[in-house]
Amino acid sequence: MKIKAVLILPFILFLWSVVVQAADMRIIKDVRGEIYDDSARITIEANCDIDYVEYSLPSPPRLIIDPVGKIYSDLKETITFDTGPVKKVTIIKGRQDEEASGDYYPLDFISIEIIAPLDYNISKNIKEEVIVELKKKKKTVSSPPVAH
């Protein structure tokens, strides 16, 4: 009986250390999309408040969400959509480091590839989520010249 306890104890301690280490890491837990014909809402859920830098790139058109500081994820790297203005969301891995545990990997940035340049708004909510709302650009209608 003592031999079993001696063999099981190191395994339990190892498991506990992985759980504790994962609890201390800043983690992107989920990325999900609500996609419509001419708009989309991408939600990035984390276990903490995320500061980020955002920018858009023209070719191919995409929006980049670049978290500030070390953050990790265990999500699949690409989420594709069949309809709407978003083609795919790609999680770009960073360089592996010793702080990552289990299936977690360092996250460099999140790329939202879109079919054409879109208007967008990014906000955070109290649920530790970053919300990216995308809409087709409104066409500006110019008024005909008026004679005075």
Side-chain angles (χ1 to χ4, degrees):
M1 187 67 159
K2 286 185 180 182
I3 294 174
K4 287 183 182 176
V6 170
L7 294 174
I8 293 174
L9 185 59
F11 177 73
I12 291 172
L13 291 175
F14 170 75
L15 211 53
W16 177 256
S17 70
V18 169
V19 169
V20 168
Q21 187 175 6
D24 291 339
M25 292 182 352
R26 298 172 60 230
I27 297 172
I28 298 291
K29 300 188 312 184
D30 192 21
V31 176
R32 59 188 176 275
E34 298 170 46
I35 309 298
Y36 307 101
D37 289 340
D38 60 352
S39 65
R41 179 183 174 117
I42 305 296
T43 302
I44 303 166
E45 182 182 350
N47 70 343
C48 60
D49 184 43
I50 302 171
D51 290 323
Y52 58 89
V53 176
E54 67 187 69
Y55 51 95
S56 59
L57 298 173
S59 184
R62 59 201 183 279
L63 179 62
I64 304 298
I65 309 296
D66 191 355
V68 175
K70 286 187 178 183
I71 193 152
Y72 299 87
S73 184
D74 64 348
L75 299 174
K76 68 179 184 176
E77 294 178 56
T78 303
I79 304 163
T80 56
F81 300 99
D82 296 329
T83 61
V86 175
K87 288 183 181 179
K88 64 183 175 179
V89 176
T90 306
I91 298 172
I92 306 300
K93 288 183 177 182
R95 290 188 176 151
Q96 194 62 30
D97 65 25
E98 64 281 349
E99 293 179 37
S101 66
D103 292 333
Y104 291 97
Y105 56 84
L107 184 146
D108 192 7
F109 61 91
I110 297 172
S111 172
I112 303 171
E113 190 173 333
I114 51 183
I115 60 171
L118 300 172
D119 288 330
Y120 67 90
N121 181 53
I122 302 176
S123 60
K124 295 194 288 188
N125 65 21
I126 60 173
K127 296 181 189 176
E128 298 173 335
E129 295 174 331
V130 175
I131 309 295
V132 181
E133 295 176 305
L134 303 147
K135 295 182 180 174
K136 285 190 177 176
K137 289 187 179 272
K138 294 180 181 175
K139 293 181 180 178
T140 54
V141 178
S142 56
S143 301
V146 177
H148 293 281

